[in-house]
Amino acid sequence: MSEPTHQSVRDYIAAKKAGDTATTDRIVREVIKRFETRTTDGSEAGELLVATMTTRLGG
């Protein structure tokens, strides 16, 4: 995966690697809300999806 362009995704990856599921859950909720209200384009959600599938919890 290339370096994410969105800070939220970089924060998600760091939290997931640290095993911080409370933070990862919060970030996912925030990104979903921004996407649903069209305050972000699909690229942030797309990057988050890739990070979710490729980043190991506590890894």
Side-chain angles (χ1 to χ4, degrees):
M1 178 172 119
S2 61
E3 182 67 26
T5 59
H6 297 278
Q7 184 63 48
S8 60
V9 178
R10 292 190 295 270
D11 292 345
Y12 174 89
I13 291 169
K16 191 165 182 185
K17 285 182 177 179
D20 183 354
T21 57
T23 299
T24 59
D25 291 349
R26 177 186 52 79
I27 292 169
V28 168
R29 285 191 307 271
E30 291 172 356
V31 171
I32 289 170
K33 184 174 182 175
R34 283 194 293 275
F35 182 72
E36 289 176 343
T37 59
R38 302 298 186 246
T39 55
T40 185
D41 64 12
S43 65
E44 183 181 21
E47 282 187 358
L48 185 60
L49 176 62
V50 171
T52 300
M53 295 187 304
T54 60
T55 306
R56 291 181 49 156
L57 182 62

